[in-house]
Amino acid sequence: MTLRTFLSILGIATWLFSGCSLRTNDSNIKSNATIDALLKKVESNPEFTSDSSLFFTRRALILSRELGYHYGLARSSHLLGAVFYKIGNLDLSIKHLHESIHAYNQINDQLHLAETNSLIGQVYLRSENYNQGLIHLRRARSLYNLQNLDSGEAHVFGLIGHLYEKSKQYDSALFYQQKALEYFSTYVDSTELAVIYDNIGSIYEDLEAFDEAYVNFKKAYDYNRALSNTSEAIINLNNIGDTYRKRNQLSTALRYTRQAYNEAKLLQNDYQIQSAARDLAKNYLASEQYDSAYHYLNQSYELNEVIFGKEIAKEIANAQTIFDLEQKQQTISLLEKERASNRQITIIGFGASAILIILIVYGSGQRGAKNRKERKLLKTENELSKAELINAQLNEEKLKTELENKHLEESKLQLELELKNKSLSRSALQIIQKNEFLESLRSNLKKIKKSEKEDIHQKIRKLTRSIDLNFNLDEDWEEFENIFQQIHTGFFDRIRKNHPGLTNSEVRLCAMIHANLHSHEIASIMNISNDSLRIARYRLRKKLGLEKGENLYAYITNLG
């Protein structure tokens, strides 16, 4: 083989490798278009489930990071923040929205910056971080103003007003709601007007200006009825009923609240049924119709249980969805890396084999080029070593993926623990609310016992005995104990083993101290006065053998 033939073969090999490089660049261009298509699919299909939206948007985010595509990174982070806000995962929503703001700043996308700041302001408002919420809403308002987008600025005015209402700064709240109202009244945006009037009504209700509250709730109701926003109209009806009840116009209040209750039942909206049932109980209590009050309060508690169970199930399902999605994305990324690595190994192997064959053939005809052939062989070995190194890196990626999966499992377990803690707090709160309501009923019944009519006296005495029976904490305590035992496994066994002389009431007291409940909450659950609780704590300290100055809470929590 001549030198010219050898150089020709080598030139063909070089051309093949350069072709591979060109195809890689074409792949990048197509990937940017693929990202835009994924984002458009999510934006144009609002009916997508959260699972689908998360999958496509997360895929777009990963591709954008790999290619350094700034718009794709900004927009996918923005959409992920919106999806997580919708399903109630506020921490992840804030994380992705901050990433979106950073990326939009890099490409100077002012319109999307305004939208993202407005959205993250709402997330902070919902999470009750009012300072951060106000910072981002003011930034959004400024960005809309710079672009002369009056509708966006007016929408943000309404959000700022709502934030000030939640932080009980009512003058500022009214000021910003009125500014929003000025714009939307001029351009007649019925959807925004319904929201603004409802917000203004809430402010006046907090200020106990019930006449003004009624006027604004009624306007919100009229707009929502015209828009066929039935759920929002039910909320308005309930609020109107509240304004009448607080003005002691009980029959009118009952009519509106009853209408809200009936429409909520037709809609099968558990949230609104529960809210209307609670307000009906208040109305009947104010009217001294105690049996009806008790009936609707019980119904409210039962629905509260159903709603809470659904929320817990939804949070667990969302956590599982996020966990599954992360695993899918990691699997996809790993498969793509394996495919790219295998393709690279094949190309390197082919090239190395071709060079090796060429060198062998050329060497057989050109024995005088022995040293040059050895150098080429050494180069080939180096290429093969690189391929082995890629394989090693791939194995490292697999180990990293497994470690990330373990972290996700830990996060899932942590979420389940937080949910159980929420359930424990809620169980305690329900016992407190039940006893406070029953105490109010019993107190009112005692006041009207002075009636001289014997039959009324007997009925009230019978009802009082029935209420007394409801102070029995056995069922409520059993639920509290079950939840507590799931979080603090073996606590009751340990404390009874270490201190066998404790009564059941003292063991319950230990559990409530461990749960870090306030003294007035513990007193309400145990149905005793604050003075009696102090005595009970003193006796408990003596039975536990604590010295003066030793911390009771620390001692109990150290038991587990």
Side-chain angles (χ1 to χ4, degrees):
M1 180 184 290
T2 65
L3 180 60
R4 180 176 293 177
T5 304
F6 170 72
L7 292 174
S8 298
I9 295 171
L10 193 59
I12 291 170
T14 304
W15 177 78
L16 286 171
F17 281 113
S18 65
C20 292
S21 175
L22 286 172
R23 280 194 296 274
T24 302
N25 290 335
D26 288 342
S27 174
N28 285 348
I29 295 169
K30 290 178 182 177
S31 293
N32 282 359
T34 302
I35 293 168
D36 291 336
L38 286 170
L39 294 173
K40 188 175 181 180
K41 184 180 292 188
V42 176
E43 291 168 340
S44 60
N45 290 281
E47 73 278 3
F48 266 176
T49 63
S50 299
D51 293 8
S52 300
S53 297
L54 281 172
F55 179 80
F56 290 121
T57 314
R58 182 84 174 114
R59 184 79 188 125
L61 179 64
I62 290 172
L63 288 174
S64 299
R65 283 174 176 165
E66 289 177 357
L67 298 173
Y69 182 32
H70 292 298
Y71 175 78
L73 181 62
R75 192 63 183 152
S76 54
S77 296
H78 186 169
L79 293 174
L80 276 174
V83 174
F84 282 123
Y85 176 55
K86 180 180 177 182
I87 66 177
N89 195 325
L90 303 186
D91 290 337
L92 281 178
S93 176
I94 288 169
K95 172 181 176 292
H96 285 291
L97 290 174
H98 274 300
E99 289 178 0
S100 174
I101 288 170
H102 177 71
Y104 279 138
N105 272 317
Q106 286 186 315
I107 59 176
N108 197 30
D109 188 337
Q110 298 292 301
L111 174 60
H112 283 121
L113 263 177
E115 292 175 357
T116 312
N117 275 287
S118 175
L119 178 56
I120 199 172
Q122 293 176 68
V123 181
Y124 277 122
L125 172 58
R126 186 168 163 186
S127 62
E128 299 181 0
N129 188 340
Y130 301 130
N131 290 333
Q132 282 298 316
L134 187 59
I135 288 169
H136 286 283
L137 289 175
R138 283 176 171 168
R139 196 171 295 161
R141 181 247 167 172
S142 176
L143 287 164
Y144 280 128
N145 181 266
L146 287 172
Q147 298 169 83
N148 296 317
L149 294 172
D150 295 337
S151 61
E153 187 176 8
H155 177 72
V156 174
F157 279 143
L159 293 173
I160 293 174
H162 191 48
L163 184 147
Y164 277 124
E165 179 198 346
K166 291 297 181 183
S167 56
K168 302 188 186 307
Q169 301 179 56
Y170 297 116
D171 289 343
S172 297
L174 276 173
F175 172 78
Y176 281 101
Q177 295 292 1
Q178 290 293 347
K179 286 181 74 68
L181 186 61
E182 287 172 14
Y183 175 85
F184 292 122
S185 296
T186 303
Y187 294 94
V188 193
D189 187 328
S190 299
T191 302
E192 290 283 1
L193 283 170
V195 174
I196 297 300
Y197 278 123
D198 186 67
N199 288 341
I200 294 174
S202 295
I203 295 168
Y204 280 124
E205 186 176 24
D206 289 345
L207 292 171
E208 299 184 359
F210 301 121
D211 292 338
E212 290 87 348
Y214 164 77
V215 170
N216 286 279
F217 284 141
K218 184 65 169 60
K219 288 180 180 178
Y221 172 75
D222 291 339
Y223 277 113
N224 280 320
R225 274 290 181 226
L227 292 165
S228 298
N229 294 335
T230 308
S231 292
E232 288 77 8
I234 292 170
I235 295 171
N236 301 145
L237 279 173
N238 221 10
N239 289 334
I240 291 170
D242 267 353
T243 63
Y244 278 110
R245 177 173 58 82
K246 291 172 181 177
R247 287 178 288 177
N248 207 32
Q249 299 177 39
L250 301 180
S251 59
T252 309
L254 185 60
R255 177 162 55 84
Y256 278 104
T257 309
R258 172 69 67 182
Q259 184 182 347
Y261 177 81
N262 291 335
E263 290 190 17
K265 289 193 76 172
L266 285 173
L267 204 62
Q268 295 182 338
N269 187 323
D270 286 340
Y271 290 93
Q272 297 309 323
I273 297 171
Q274 187 270 339
S275 179
R278 185 192 61 226
D279 286 342
L280 282 171
K282 292 178 182 177
N283 209 319
Y284 281 120
L285 180 62
S287 304
E288 298 184 352
Q289 298 181 52
Y290 301 114
D291 53 346
S292 297
Y294 187 73
H295 167 75
Y296 283 106
L297 184 69
N298 249 356
Q299 187 179 23
S300 172
Y301 281 148
E302 288 169 2
L303 280 169
N304 214 19
E305 285 288 340
V306 172
I307 292 167
F308 184 74
K310 288 180 179 178
E311 287 176 349
I312 292 293
K314 183 180 177 183
E315 288 191 41
I316 292 173
N318 287 336
Q320 185 65 48
T321 298
I322 295 166
F323 175 74
D324 292 342
L325 178 64
E326 289 292 340
Q327 285 192 317
K328 287 177 185 176
Q329 294 292 359
Q330 287 170 7
T331 302
I332 291 170
S333 297
L334 193 57
L335 287 172
E336 287 178 345
K337 287 176 183 176
E338 284 181 349
R339 190 182 304 155
S341 175
N342 289 337
R343 187 165 56 245
Q344 190 173 359
I345 290 169
T346 302
I347 292 169
I348 291 170
F350 174 77
S353 299
I355 293 171
L356 187 60
I357 292 168
I358 291 169
L359 285 173
I360 291 171
V361 173
Y362 183 71
S364 66
Q366 301 288 333
R367 296 186 182 279
K370 183 179 178 181
N371 291 336
R372 192 161 56 250
K373 182 185 76 172
E374 288 177 352
R375 285 196 296 272
K376 291 292 182 182
L377 284 170
L378 181 61
K379 182 180 178 182
T380 301
E381 289 175 359
N382 287 338
E383 293 290 345
L384 291 172
S385 296
K386 286 181 182 178
E388 291 174 0
L389 178 61
I390 290 170
N391 271 331
Q393 289 173 341
L394 192 58
N395 288 332
E396 184 180 344
E397 286 286 343
K398 285 182 178 179
L399 291 173
K400 185 178 177 182
T401 300
E402 290 174 2
L403 182 61
E404 288 176 355
N405 283 340
K406 287 181 181 177
H407 287 321
L408 287 169
E409 284 283 4
E410 290 172 2
S411 299
K412 183 182 173 185
L413 290 172
Q414 181 63 32
L415 175 63
E416 289 177 357
L417 180 60
E418 289 174 3
L419 293 176
K420 285 178 180 176
N421 276 322
K422 284 183 184 177
S423 184
L424 181 66
S425 300
R426 187 181 167 282
S427 177
L429 180 61
Q430 182 172 329
I431 297 170
I432 293 166
Q433 290 176 337
K434 175 184 173 183
N435 284 355
E436 287 176 350
F437 180 79
L438 291 173
E439 178 59 39
S440 173
L441 275 179
R442 184 166 63 182
S443 175
N444 285 323
L445 287 172
K446 287 178 179 177
K447 288 179 183 178
I448 64 170
K449 262 187 178 180
K450 298 176 182 179
S451 171
E452 294 179 0
K453 295 181 180 179
E454 185 62 21
D455 58 332
I456 295 177
H457 183 74
Q458 288 176 353
K459 287 180 181 178
I460 293 175
R461 187 164 50 198
K462 183 178 178 181
L463 185 56
T464 305
R465 283 200 301 270
S466 175
I467 293 169
D468 287 337
L469 290 174
N470 275 281
F471 275 109
N472 189 330
L473 293 175
D474 287 344
E475 291 182 5
D476 293 325
W477 174 255
E478 184 179 347
E479 179 187 357
F480 182 92
E481 185 175 1
N482 286 338
I483 299 168
F484 186 91
Q485 186 75 346
Q486 290 175 31
I487 301 171
H488 308 289
T489 307
F491 173 79
F492 293 109
D493 293 334
R494 283 192 295 277
I495 197 163
R496 287 191 173 104
K497 181 180 177 182
N498 292 344
H499 303 283
L502 294 180
T503 66
N504 288 337
S505 294
E506 288 165 340
V507 171
R508 291 177 180 180
L509 177 57
C510 288
M512 286 183 279
I513 292 171
H514 194 298
N516 204 21
L517 297 179
H518 292 294
S519 294
H520 71 274
E521 293 173 333
I522 297 173
S524 179
I525 291 173
M526 297 182 73
N527 193 26
I528 59 176
S529 66
N530 286 331
D531 289 337
S532 298
L533 177 60
R534 280 193 289 272
I535 294 169
R537 289 172 69 104
Y538 173 76
R539 289 173 178 166
L540 178 61
R541 290 179 62 88
K542 289 189 70 175
K543 284 194 176 184
L544 295 177
L546 298 184
E547 299 291 336
K548 187 175 181 180
E550 282 191 75
N551 189 292
L552 178 59
Y553 172 76
Y555 178 80
I556 291 173
T557 52
N558 284 336
L559 289 174

